[in-house]
Amino acid sequence: MLEMATRQVARAGLPLMNIVRMKGVPILQQLEIEERLLRTSSNNWCIINDGTDKPSIVMGISGKPAELVEIRPVVEDKVPVIRRFTGGGTVVVDHGTIFVSFICNKDDVAGVQPYPRPIMSWSSLLYSHVFQGVADFRLRENDYVFGLRKFGGNAQSITKNRWIHHTSFLWDYEARNMSYLKLPKRTPEYRLARDHLDFICPMKDYLSRPDFIAKTIDAAGSLFSVESTEFEAVKPSSNMEFAPTSRLLTIKELEAACKTSI
Amino acid sequence: MASRIWASKAASYLKISTFNRGFASVVKDLKYAESHEWVKVSGNSATIGITDHAQDHLGDVVYVELPEIGTAVTQGSGFGAVESVKATSDINSPVSGKVVEVNEELTSSPGLVNGSPYENGWIIKVEISDTNEVSSLMDSEQYSKFCEEEDNH
């Protein structure tokens, strides 16, 4: 009885975080929701999207398609190419990807300065609780790895008083989709000279989807007082004033990029 | 010894205060915002960039998103962004006004923000709409203390 009362008091002292669970939401829509919440909300959010509806390529804010993407097969196979509002590299996402995003007021995350590396460290501490006893998890440079193999890629956007740290987790993936990506100019040192498929690994060998999501919500619950929010409450509607900056590149843009790279 | 004397003379000439390792440099005569941008004011003209403290904490800048010339800026609000590590970070304007020039060099050499944050790494020039706003900014001493407190928090 005393223990339960103590836990409730502890929770009451923690900042609130709204957890939104989605499944199969298109990645562009997820990005639009995230950017709007980052820029117009004053609450803390954890967005979880359990798989996206179709394979898509997602580049960071400064990504150049000619350098990062095999344009001909992408155009032929009609794979959407999206430029997102956060930094970082290029990923192929599909129904095997689990997305987890934390959108926080800097003042609600004590002791974490609003810069890339402190936020990255904070996130790795949170996920170390998720994978404790399950796998040899660590943050290596800016990736989540099991040993030397990457299973999670991170990106952030930092505003004056808030930040987002979002991750695409490779719960599973199709080798064929990975072949749409070129070897980028900037790669982490620990990648060495490995081909993409020798560099990444799927999370499914370690944890089921429901277990991973449950453990992530638990880990968030140790730092925040978490409450569930329905997707309907954050879904974009036609009368919203905020103009998101993540966008789908047009076929013309991709073809122009292809020509300039020859 | 000689190099230390040279460094101190150079610092004095450039009006740079240098501190022990761990402290970022500040330039006297500039004004500073709490969001770590600096502004050099000359009449109604302002040159704006991010501070040494900011570039040090951000890491290697790989991309700078610049505003269009003619864009209105508001004190305390974002006008562009830098990309470093895996993050985009907003750059906020220390003054209100209109963008009259942007540093195009940053498109091909974003690292200038790291290597020369107060000189060649300047980001935009603004025609100030309200010079009174400048008085709400910190001077170099106040900003140095502000950074120290922030890092010790």
Side-chain angles (χ1 to χ4, degrees), chain B residues 76-99:
Chain B
S77 292
F79 66 81
V82 292
E83 185 186 358
S84 65
V85 196
K86 301 276 184 168
T88 57
S89 300
D90 279 2
I91 317 168
N92 302 291
S93 186
V95 292
S96 304
K98 188 175 70 171
V99 176

PDB file of all heavy atoms in Angstrom, chain B residues 76-99:
ATOM      1  N   GLY B  76      14.326  36.759 -31.526  1.00  0.00           N
ATOM      2  CA  GLY B  76      13.976  35.537 -30.793  1.00  0.00           C
ATOM      3  C   GLY B  76      13.368  34.441 -31.647  1.00  0.00           C
ATOM      4  O   GLY B  76      13.195  33.320 -31.172  1.00  0.00           O
ATOM      5  N   SER B  77      13.064  34.729 -32.899  1.00  0.00           N
ATOM      6  CA  SER B  77      12.443  33.703 -33.758  1.00  0.00           C
ATOM      7  C   SER B  77      13.433  33.135 -34.765  1.00  0.00           C
ATOM      8  O   SER B  77      14.387  33.803 -35.144  1.00  0.00           O
ATOM      9  CB  SER B  77      11.259  34.295 -34.521  1.00  0.00           C
ATOM     10  OG  SER B  77      10.236  34.602 -33.613  1.00  0.00           O
ATOM     11  N   GLY B  78      13.147  31.917 -35.225  1.00  0.00           N
ATOM     12  CA  GLY B  78      14.053  31.238 -36.147  1.00  0.00           C
ATOM     13  C   GLY B  78      14.008  31.811 -37.548  1.00  0.00           C
ATOM     14  O   GLY B  78      12.970  32.241 -38.026  1.00  0.00           O
ATOM     15  N   PHE B  79      15.175  31.819 -38.208  1.00  0.00           N
ATOM     16  CA  PHE B  79      15.233  32.254 -39.609  1.00  0.00           C
ATOM     17  C   PHE B  79      15.957  31.247 -40.496  1.00  0.00           C
ATOM     18  O   PHE B  79      16.000  31.387 -41.697  1.00  0.00           O
ATOM     19  CB  PHE B  79      15.921  33.620 -39.739  1.00  0.00           C
ATOM     20  CG  PHE B  79      17.385  33.620 -39.357  1.00  0.00           C
ATOM     21  CD1 PHE B  79      18.363  33.186 -40.251  1.00  0.00           C
ATOM     22  CD2 PHE B  79      17.787  34.058 -38.107  1.00  0.00           C
ATOM     23  CE1 PHE B  79      19.718  33.177 -39.897  1.00  0.00           C
ATOM     24  CE2 PHE B  79      19.130  34.058 -37.741  1.00  0.00           C
ATOM     25  CZ  PHE B  79      20.102  33.623 -38.638  1.00  0.00           C
ATOM     26  N   GLY B  80      16.545  30.259 -39.921  1.00  0.00           N
ATOM     27  CA  GLY B  80      17.313  29.289 -40.700  1.00  0.00           C
ATOM     28  C   GLY B  80      17.719  28.151 -39.783  1.00  0.00           C
ATOM     29  O   GLY B  80      17.235  28.044 -38.639  1.00  0.00           O
ATOM     30  N   ALA B  81      18.600  27.308 -40.277  1.00  0.00           N
ATOM     31  CA  ALA B  81      19.028  26.168 -39.465  1.00  0.00           C
ATOM     32  C   ALA B  81      20.419  25.725 -39.870  1.00  0.00           C
ATOM     33  O   ALA B  81      20.877  26.004 -40.989  1.00  0.00           O
ATOM     34  CB  ALA B  81      18.046  25.009 -39.638  1.00  0.00           C
ATOM     35  N   VAL B  82      21.091  25.040 -38.959  1.00  0.00           N
ATOM     36  CA  VAL B  82      22.340  24.366 -39.295  1.00  0.00           C
ATOM     37  C   VAL B  82      22.117  22.873 -39.078  1.00  0.00           C
ATOM     38  O   VAL B  82      21.332  22.477 -38.220  1.00  0.00           O
ATOM     39  CB  VAL B  82      23.542  24.852 -38.444  1.00  0.00           C
ATOM     40  CG1 VAL B  82      23.906  26.279 -38.772  1.00  0.00           C
ATOM     41  CG2 VAL B  82      23.290  24.683 -36.968  1.00  0.00           C
ATOM     42  N   GLU B  83      22.823  22.063 -39.858  1.00  0.00           N
ATOM     43  CA  GLU B  83      22.783  20.627 -39.653  1.00  0.00           C
ATOM     44  C   GLU B  83      24.145  20.179 -39.144  1.00  0.00           C
ATOM     45  O   GLU B  83      25.175  20.527 -39.726  1.00  0.00           O
ATOM     46  CB  GLU B  83      22.443  19.876 -40.944  1.00  0.00           C
ATOM     47  CG  GLU B  83      22.282  18.378 -40.704  1.00  0.00           C
ATOM     48  CD  GLU B  83      22.087  17.563 -41.974  1.00  0.00           C
ATOM     49  OE1 GLU B  83      22.044  18.150 -43.073  1.00  0.00           O
ATOM     50  OE2 GLU B  83      21.997  16.328 -41.858  1.00  0.00           O
ATOM     51  N   SER B  84      24.143  19.408 -38.085  1.00  0.00           N
ATOM     52  CA  SER B  84      25.390  18.859 -37.538  1.00  0.00           C
ATOM     53  C   SER B  84      25.060  17.526 -36.894  1.00  0.00           C
ATOM     54  O   SER B  84      23.947  17.346 -36.390  1.00  0.00           O
ATOM     55  CB  SER B  84      25.992  19.809 -36.497  1.00  0.00           C
ATOM     56  OG  SER B  84      25.130  19.922 -35.384  1.00  0.00           O
ATOM     57  N   VAL B  85      25.985  16.618 -36.912  1.00  0.00           N
ATOM     58  CA  VAL B  85      25.762  15.268 -36.395  1.00  0.00           C
ATOM     59  C   VAL B  85      24.500  14.773 -37.116  1.00  0.00           C
ATOM     60  O   VAL B  85      24.479  14.730 -38.330  1.00  0.00           O
ATOM     61  CB  VAL B  85      25.649  15.245 -34.855  1.00  0.00           C
ATOM     62  CG1 VAL B  85      25.805  13.833 -34.315  1.00  0.00           C
ATOM     63  CG2 VAL B  85      26.717  16.114 -34.218  1.00  0.00           C
ATOM     64  N   LYS B  86      23.450  14.473 -36.420  1.00  0.00           N
ATOM     65  CA  LYS B  86      22.225  14.036 -37.101  1.00  0.00           C
ATOM     66  C   LYS B  86      21.090  15.030 -36.898  1.00  0.00           C
ATOM     67  O   LYS B  86      19.913  14.693 -37.072  1.00  0.00           O
ATOM     68  CB  LYS B  86      21.775  12.680 -36.524  1.00  0.00           C
ATOM     69  CG  LYS B  86      22.780  11.571 -36.658  1.00  0.00           C
ATOM     70  CD  LYS B  86      22.692  10.912 -37.993  1.00  0.00           C
ATOM     71  CE  LYS B  86      23.637   9.743 -38.092  1.00  0.00           C
ATOM     72  NZ  LYS B  86      23.398   8.903 -39.252  1.00  0.00           N
ATOM     73  N   ALA B  87      21.450  16.256 -36.495  1.00  0.00           N
ATOM     74  CA  ALA B  87      20.407  17.202 -36.074  1.00  0.00           C
ATOM     75  C   ALA B  87      20.329  18.438 -36.947  1.00  0.00           C
ATOM     76  O   ALA B  87      21.349  18.949 -37.405  1.00  0.00           O
ATOM     77  CB  ALA B  87      20.677  17.633 -34.629  1.00  0.00           C
ATOM     78  N   THR B  88      19.107  18.935 -37.134  1.00  0.00           N
ATOM     79  CA  THR B  88      18.953  20.315 -37.592  1.00  0.00           C
ATOM     80  C   THR B  88      18.695  21.148 -36.341  1.00  0.00           C
ATOM     81  O   THR B  88      17.925  20.734 -35.470  1.00  0.00           O
ATOM     82  CB  THR B  88      17.753  20.507 -38.530  1.00  0.00           C
ATOM     83  OG1 THR B  88      16.560  20.073 -37.866  1.00  0.00           O
ATOM     84  CG2 THR B  88      17.905  19.722 -39.796  1.00  0.00           C
ATOM     85  N   SER B  89      19.364  22.295 -36.245  1.00  0.00           N
ATOM     86  CA  SER B  89      19.170  23.182 -35.097  1.00  0.00           C
ATOM     87  C   SER B  89      18.793  24.554 -35.604  1.00  0.00           C
ATOM     88  O   SER B  89      19.461  25.088 -36.496  1.00  0.00           O
ATOM     89  CB  SER B  89      20.461  23.285 -34.275  1.00  0.00           C
ATOM     90  OG  SER B  89      20.849  22.018 -33.790  1.00  0.00           O
ATOM     91  N   ASP B  90      17.734  25.106 -35.061  1.00  0.00           N
ATOM     92  CA  ASP B  90      17.272  26.434 -35.471  1.00  0.00           C
ATOM     93  C   ASP B  90      18.320  27.484 -35.174  1.00  0.00           C
ATOM     94  O   ASP B  90      19.021  27.413 -34.158  1.00  0.00           O
ATOM     95  CB  ASP B  90      16.010  26.817 -34.684  1.00  0.00           C
ATOM     96  CG  ASP B  90      14.749  26.198 -35.255  1.00  0.00           C
ATOM     97  OD1 ASP B  90      14.842  25.432 -36.237  1.00  0.00           O
ATOM     98  OD2 ASP B  90      13.674  26.497 -34.696  1.00  0.00           O
ATOM     99  N   ILE B  91      18.407  28.475 -36.052  1.00  0.00           N
ATOM    100  CA  ILE B  91      19.175  29.688 -35.754  1.00  0.00           C
ATOM    101  C   ILE B  91      18.127  30.777 -35.546  1.00  0.00           C
ATOM    102  O   ILE B  91      17.221  30.936 -36.378  1.00  0.00           O
ATOM    103  CB  ILE B  91      20.105  30.109 -36.915  1.00  0.00           C
ATOM    104  CG1 ILE B  91      20.821  28.914 -37.528  1.00  0.00           C
ATOM    105  CG2 ILE B  91      21.128  31.134 -36.420  1.00  0.00           C
ATOM    106  CD1 ILE B  91      21.516  29.229 -38.836  1.00  0.00           C
ATOM    107  N   ASN B  92      18.234  31.488 -34.431  1.00  0.00           N
ATOM    108  CA  ASN B  92      17.253  32.521 -34.093  1.00  0.00           C
ATOM    109  C   ASN B  92      17.869  33.907 -34.257  1.00  0.00           C
ATOM    110  O   ASN B  92      19.051  34.106 -33.976  1.00  0.00           O
ATOM    111  CB  ASN B  92      16.783  32.322 -32.652  1.00  0.00           C
ATOM    112  CG  ASN B  92      16.175  30.953 -32.452  1.00  0.00           C
ATOM    113  OD1 ASN B  92      15.109  30.646 -32.969  1.00  0.00           O
ATOM    114  ND2 ASN B  92      16.873  30.089 -31.716  1.00  0.00           N
ATOM    115  N   SER B  93      17.067  34.861 -34.676  1.00  0.00           N
ATOM    116  CA  SER B  93      17.613  36.199 -34.893  1.00  0.00           C
ATOM    117  C   SER B  93      17.650  36.992 -33.590  1.00  0.00           C
ATOM    118  O   SER B  93      16.663  37.042 -32.861  1.00  0.00           O
ATOM    119  CB  SER B  93      16.771  36.953 -35.925  1.00  0.00           C
ATOM    120  OG  SER B  93      17.397  38.191 -36.211  1.00  0.00           O
ATOM    121  N   PRO B  94      18.796  37.629 -33.277  1.00  0.00           N
ATOM    122  CA  PRO B  94      18.865  38.452 -32.066  1.00  0.00           C
ATOM    123  C   PRO B  94      18.150  39.801 -32.221  1.00  0.00           C
ATOM    124  O   PRO B  94      17.935  40.497 -31.229  1.00  0.00           O
ATOM    125  CB  PRO B  94      20.367  38.696 -31.867  1.00  0.00           C
ATOM    126  CG  PRO B  94      21.066  37.793 -32.821  1.00  0.00           C
ATOM    127  CD  PRO B  94      20.112  37.502 -33.924  1.00  0.00           C
ATOM    128  N   VAL B  95      17.817  40.158 -33.492  1.00  0.00           N
ATOM    129  CA  VAL B  95      17.154  41.450 -33.737  1.00  0.00           C
ATOM    130  C   VAL B  95      16.038  41.256 -34.764  1.00  0.00           C
ATOM    131  O   VAL B  95      16.028  40.267 -35.505  1.00  0.00           O
ATOM    132  CB  VAL B  95      18.151  42.511 -34.273  1.00  0.00           C
ATOM    133  CG1 VAL B  95      19.170  42.893 -33.216  1.00  0.00           C
ATOM    134  CG2 VAL B  95      18.841  42.042 -35.545  1.00  0.00           C
ATOM    135  N   SER B  96      15.143  42.236 -34.812  1.00  0.00           N
ATOM    136  CA  SER B  96      14.080  42.214 -35.827  1.00  0.00           C
ATOM    137  C   SER B  96      14.499  43.064 -37.012  1.00  0.00           C
ATOM    138  O   SER B  96      15.233  44.046 -36.851  1.00  0.00           O
ATOM    139  CB  SER B  96      12.782  42.779 -35.240  1.00  0.00           C
ATOM    140  OG  SER B  96      12.418  42.075 -34.086  1.00  0.00           O
ATOM    141  N   GLY B  97      14.009  42.695 -38.195  1.00  0.00           N
ATOM    142  CA  GLY B  97      14.337  43.505 -39.364  1.00  0.00           C
ATOM    143  C   GLY B  97      14.128  42.721 -40.641  1.00  0.00           C
ATOM    144  O   GLY B  97      13.282  41.821 -40.700  1.00  0.00           O
ATOM    145  N   LYS B  98      14.928  43.027 -41.659  1.00  0.00           N
ATOM    146  CA  LYS B  98      14.799  42.392 -42.969  1.00  0.00           C
ATOM    147  C   LYS B  98      16.174  41.883 -43.423  1.00  0.00           C
ATOM    148  O   LYS B  98      17.176  42.594 -43.285  1.00  0.00           O
ATOM    149  CB  LYS B  98      14.276  43.430 -43.972  1.00  0.00           C
ATOM    150  CG  LYS B  98      13.902  42.870 -45.330  1.00  0.00           C
ATOM    151  CD  LYS B  98      13.271  43.938 -46.214  1.00  0.00           C
ATOM    152  CE  LYS B  98      14.281  44.987 -46.660  1.00  0.00           C
ATOM    153  NZ  LYS B  98      13.717  45.882 -47.683  1.00  0.00           N
ATOM    154  N   VAL B  99      16.196  40.676 -43.949  1.00  0.00           N
ATOM    155  CA  VAL B  99      17.461  40.106 -44.432  1.00  0.00           C
ATOM    156  C   VAL B  99      17.886  40.832 -45.710  1.00  0.00           C
ATOM    157  O   VAL B  99      17.124  40.901 -46.679  1.00  0.00           O
ATOM    158  CB  VAL B  99      17.289  38.590 -44.727  1.00  0.00           C
ATOM    159  CG1 VAL B  99      18.569  38.010 -45.311  1.00  0.00           C
ATOM    160  CG2 VAL B  99      16.880  37.839 -43.468  1.00  0.00           C
TER     161      VAL B  99
END
